[in-house]
């Protein structure tokens, strides 16, 4: 059944000249069929480079597909699971960001890519988990409004103490679930392991891990690490690629596997239907796209 489905998707992909991009948290079968997998920054970059393709099918959550559309406005961008949102992105509303800007006149607004296109449009620059400290360090302002993730804000403030960060009160409910007890237990069970965590984890998890990295940062670290056991404090979807790329090492989730339900909404069936019907297209107002593109393009300038 799945084999037929995979063949059908491949056939449709060829007929429609579509490129399939998938985030590192997607289901294993989606990662395997994708042309490219990566973290938010890599996928945003890839979306800009796919000149020859007729359309981009984005296997991820809405803000990621919107980013692909904003960077590539002439291309059709489809989101196979149209209800795949990001609760963290929903924690920053445009009106509240505008209010904050009025309160801190002159402060630079740095928005994590996990925001809506509308919020990006009222931001000065975007960042991702892999370049946030560099972006904040290089913005031409001593005060920065950083949104929407407070744990990433904590991580950035530590790396860039010379800037004053006004940090939004948002969080990722998936990464917030990792506990200090999980970490303590992992150290006891696997004393020679290396613990890699995402900057969306709580401060005490960041403080007691070996490295704080984006999902692709974890993939890179796993390749060069001397440790035979690696434990990850991020969404469990990353384990698929980690295991595939490093068969000689063992990988575990920190505590029970943490799942982002939105990332798991994309299935092979939905991918096939989306390719077939060319529906669930990302449509954004030109003016919003233009402003949001400025913030995204500045991000590339500042790193
Ligand atoms: P990365 O950019 O590190 O892949 O993170 C995206 C994300 O949504 C983390 O929860
Ligand atoms: Fe959003 Fe968290 Fe899911 Fe990432 S893991 S997409 S931040 S809800």
């Amino acid at each position: 059944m799945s084999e037929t489905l995979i063949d059908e998707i491949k056939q449709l992909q060829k007929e429609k000249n579509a490129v399939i991009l998938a985030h590192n948290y997607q289901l294993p079968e989606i990662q395997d069929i994708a042309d490219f997998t990566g973290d938010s920054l890599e996928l945003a970059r890839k979306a800009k480079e796919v000149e020859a393709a007729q359309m981009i099918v984005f296997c991820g959550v809405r803000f990621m597909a919107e980013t692909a559309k904003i960077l590539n406005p002439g291309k059709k961008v489809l989101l196979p699971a149209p209800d795949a949102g990001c609760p963290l992105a929903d924690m920053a509303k445009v009106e509240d960001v505008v209010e904050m800007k009025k309160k801190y006149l002159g402060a630079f607004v740095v928005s994590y890519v996990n925001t809506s296109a509308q919020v990006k449009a009222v931001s000065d620059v975007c960042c991702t988990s892999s370049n946030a400290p560099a972006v904040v360090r290089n913005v031409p302002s001593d005060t920065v409004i950083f949104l929407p993730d407070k744990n990433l804000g904590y991580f950035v403030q530590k790396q860039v103490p010379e800037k004053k960060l006004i940090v939004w009160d948002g969080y990722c409910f998936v990464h917030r679930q990792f506990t200090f007890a999980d970490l303590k237990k992992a150290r006891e069970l696997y004393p020679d392991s290396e613990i890699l965590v995402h900057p969306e984890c709580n401060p005490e998890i960041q403080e007691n891990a070996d490295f704080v990295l984006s999902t692709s940062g974890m993939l890179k670290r796993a390749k060069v690490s001397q440790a035979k056991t690696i434990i990850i404090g991020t969404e469990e979807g990353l384990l698929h690629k980690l295991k595939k790329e490093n068969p000689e090492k063992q990988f575990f989730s920190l505590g029970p596997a943490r799942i982002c339900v939105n990332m798991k909404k994309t299935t092979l069936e939905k991918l096939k239907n989306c390719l077939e019907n060319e529906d669930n297209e990302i449509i954004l107002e030109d003016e919003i796209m233009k402003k949001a593109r400025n913030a995204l393009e500045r991000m590339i300038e500042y790193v």
Side-chain angles (χ1 to χ4, degrees):
M1 165 65 186
S2 178
E3 281 309 311
T4 330
L5 203 49
I6 288 168
D7 290 343
E8 284 170 351
I9 292 171
K10 287 190 175 151
Q11 185 57 34
L12 279 163
Q13 191 190 2
K14 213 187 280 169
E15 277 167 27
K16 309 251 173 170
N17 187 15
V19 66
I20 301 175
L21 304 183
H23 185 263
N24 290 326
Y25 295 159
Q26 289 288 292
L27 291 168
E29 59 272 29
I30 298 290
Q31 295 191 37
D32 289 345
I33 207 167
D35 296 299
F36 300 101
T37 55
D39 69 2
S40 307
L41 181 62
E42 289 169 336
L43 294 174
R45 288 209 163 113
K46 204 35 107 183
K48 270 195 92 162
E49 290 166 12
V50 292
E51 286 300 314
Q54 204 61 28
M55 65 185 81
I56 297 171
V57 185
F58 207 107
C59 301
V61 293
R62 181 162 289 273
F63 77 80
M64 295 178 175
E66 283 184 355
T67 302
K69 177 70 186 174
I70 293 163
L71 291 171
N72 228 332
K75 204 135 285 186
K76 193 177 237 187
V77 177
L78 308 176
L79 180 64
D83 58 338
C86 168
L88 168 61
D90 296 338
M91 287 178 193
K93 303 264 176 274
V94 184
E95 319 78 78
D96 297 337
V97 179
V98 171
E99 273 309 300
M100 194 74 141
K101 281 170 71 160
K102 282 189 201 148
K103 194 169 161 196
Y104 296 97
L105 285 175
F108 235 65
V109 180
V110 179
S111 288
Y112 192 23
V113 279
N114 299 42
T115 44
S116 65
Q118 289 73 12
V119 165
K120 287 184 178 75
V122 294
S123 303
D124 294 300
V125 61
C126 292
C127 70
T128 69
S129 58
S130 52
N131 65 18
V135 169
V136 170
R137 195 171 291 119
N138 293 327
V139 297
S141 162
D142 292 335
T143 309
V144 166
I145 298 169
F146 188 87
L147 57 102
D149 189 74
K150 62 178 170 192
N151 292 332
L152 180 60
Y154 169 85
F155 176 70
V156 173
Q157 183 68 88
K158 259 190 73 182
Q159 315 283 314
V160 195
E162 67 275 21
K163 301 257 164 144
K164 178 177 161 44
L165 260 70
I166 297 141
V167 179
W168 208 259
D169 195 21
Y171 58 86
C172 163
F173 74 96
V174 180
H175 287 87
R176 203 168 74 145
Q177 293 173 52
F178 295 103
T179 65
F180 184 69
D182 292 337
L183 210 138
K184 206 166 150 258
K185 198 166 168 198
R187 290 262 187 240
E188 279 163 16
L189 285 172
Y190 302 101
D192 299 326
S193 66
E194 208 167 76
I195 301 185
L196 317 179
V197 304
H198 197 274
E200 286 172 17
C201 292
N202 291 332
E204 64 169 355
I205 302 294
Q206 297 186 26
E207 294 301 336
N208 291 287
D210 296 309
F211 292 93
V212 182
L213 298 163
S214 74
T215 56
S216 288
M218 290 185 197
L219 287 162
K220 286 184 194 120
R221 176 65 206 164
K223 278 191 182 155
V224 298
S225 171
Q226 295 301 308
K228 291 272 166 282
T229 302
I230 296 180
I231 297 172
I232 57 152
T234 195
E235 212 272 350
E236 60 89 47
L238 189 67
L239 289 170
H240 177 63
K241 202 165 168 187
L242 282 166
K243 289 177 182 168
K244 219 169 141 178
E245 291 184 348
N246 307 277
E248 75 292 358
K249 295 179 182 164
Q250 56 173 355
F251 297 91
F252 299 112
S253 276
L254 183 59
R258 306 297 180 185
I259 294 169
C260 173
V261 285
N262 285 289
M263 282 286 181
K264 308 304 192 211
K265 286 181 177 167
T266 312
T267 58
L268 287 175
E269 282 83 0
K270 286 186 196 168
L271 176 55
K272 186 202 141 201
N273 292 341
C274 184
L275 270 164
E276 203 160 49
N277 306 322
E278 296 185 32
D279 55 5
N280 303 328
E281 183 177 354
I282 300 289
I283 309 279
L284 294 165
E285 279 174 38
D286 285 347
E287 197 51 28
I288 295 286
M289 280 208 280
K290 200 171 144 208
K291 290 183 180 156
R293 194 175 313 120
N294 278 338
L296 280 163
E297 281 175 353
R298 260 188 179 164
M299 161 174 91
I300 315 281
E301 254 172 59
Y302 285 148
V303 291

